[in-house]
Amino acid sequence: MVNIENPENQSLSMLLGKSLGNEIIDFTEDTVDTLIENETIKNIPIARAIIGFIKLGIAIHEKNLLKQTLEFINEFNAGNIDKDKINEYKEEIKSNPKKAEKELGRCLIILNSTIESIHSRMLGHLFKSFVNRSINWDEFVELSDAVHRVFIRDIQHLRKIYEQNTELIEVNEEEAYCNFRLQSLGFLTSLTGIYPSDVKPGIDPNIFVLSEFGKKFIKYTGILDINKVI
């Protein structure tokens, strides 16, 4: 997509790359319509481009993309971020547009189909982990897919499981569906998967442990710190 207000005709992926590493913008009290007229937000390259699309058609999708992209950028810019690595990454995508389309383009596709701000913030935190070289691209792809698929209720439950600091997770009736959904994403592992009943009789299939993938998801998406109340 090309924005009529973008004379360089740069892709949204390149514009997103240009928008990383700047100051955090406070837009918590703004509606999407007031965001469109916010002069500070217009200074963010990708926000300016998306606003151009909105003004062309006042489309719901573009309004949502603007909000989710700003959430993503704010979370990326918050907290522990290595400025040298940001600048290095910007130089990489500047010299290699295909890299920008592959990596930032994936983020935009996810953001464009995201409704809840918590998912966009988790994605921003995860992409920061990637730029900081804490995870590689393959890990980012796998974890970002999980970010897109996890339910908000299950995010709360996963955080609760971690903060309880207990090795074994027992299912109760009220939370059983959360555990089974978290298991389907690979965050929890049933004891029957570790000790098959034919090897160790008497294993309860409704008792789980937090998997290594689940621990990695918690660590690199920042769910312990992001939006404590969701």
Side-chain angles (χ1 to χ4, degrees):
M1 292 186 288
V2 177
N3 177 24
I4 56 172
E5 295 183 14
N6 174 25
E8 296 177 342
N9 287 340
Q10 292 185 324
S11 69
L12 287 183
S13 298
M14 292 297 289
L15 292 174
L16 178 54
K18 280 188 170 184
S19 304
L20 299 178
N22 299 319
E23 71 278 4
I24 297 172
I25 305 297
D26 183 8
F27 59 92
T28 52
E29 300 300 324
D30 291 330
T31 65
V32 177
D33 289 325
T34 58
L35 286 177
I36 296 169
E37 303 303 327
N38 186 312
E39 293 301 322
T40 302
I41 287 173
K42 286 181 181 179
N43 290 328
I44 302 173
I46 189 167
R48 185 167 59 249
I50 297 172
I51 288 170
F53 285 115
I54 293 172
K55 288 185 174 179
L56 279 175
I58 316 298
I60 292 175
H61 283 295
E62 279 72 15
K63 286 185 176 182
N64 182 62
L65 177 59
L66 174 62
K67 183 176 185 299
Q68 302 306 335
T69 302
L70 290 172
E71 294 281 8
F72 172 92
I73 292 172
N74 265 359
E75 187 58 40
F76 181 94
N77 292 338
N80 183 24
I81 181 70
D82 188 319
K83 297 295 184 183
D84 290 336
K85 285 189 171 64
I86 292 178
N87 292 332
E88 183 181 334
Y89 183 76
K90 285 185 172 183
E91 287 301 315
E92 287 177 2
I93 61 175
K94 184 178 179 180
S95 61
N96 186 358
K98 287 185 178 180
K99 178 180 175 69
E101 293 303 318
K102 174 185 176 182
E103 296 175 357
L104 292 166
R106 178 183 180 85
C107 293
L108 285 168
I109 289 170
I110 294 174
L111 291 169
N112 197 37
S113 60
T114 296
I115 298 174
E116 303 294 343
S117 296
I118 183 64
H119 289 113
S120 299
R121 296 182 67 186
M122 289 165 62
L123 186 67
H125 199 98
L126 184 62
F127 196 73
K128 176 166 57 180
S129 299
F130 169 66
V131 172
N132 270 336
R133 309 287 176 86
S134 301
I135 57 174
N136 62 35
W137 176 246
D138 289 339
E139 289 173 310
F140 175 80
V141 169
E142 187 175 28
L143 289 165
S144 64
D145 182 58
V147 167
H148 187 56
R149 294 167 58 195
V150 68
F151 286 75
I152 288 181
R153 175 70 181 86
D154 297 348
I155 296 170
Q156 296 171 317
H157 187 58
L158 185 62
R159 188 159 57 202
K160 176 182 173 183
I161 286 172
Y162 184 85
E163 291 175 342
Q164 284 176 340
N165 194 29
T166 179
E167 183 177 353
L168 299 182
I169 304 153
E170 296 189 39
V171 173
N172 59 51
E173 289 187 12
E174 293 182 358
E175 298 176 329
Y177 67 98
C178 291
N179 284 13
F180 293 127
R181 283 200 303 242
L182 290 171
Q183 181 190 25
S184 72
L185 289 174
F187 298 154
L188 301 182
T189 301
S190 169
L191 285 188
T192 56
I194 301 174
Y195 306 109
S197 57
D198 58 344
V199 174
K200 195 170 183 180
I203 294 297
D204 188 340
N206 293 326
I207 297 181
F208 299 84
V209 295
L210 189 61
S211 70
E212 290 304 312
F213 182 66
K215 294 175 184 177
K216 185 187 294 186
F217 182 85
I218 292 169
K219 181 177 181 179
Y220 294 118
T221 58
I223 66 168
L224 299 180
D225 302 313
I226 292 175
N227 227 4
K228 281 287 186 179
V229 180
I230 53 176

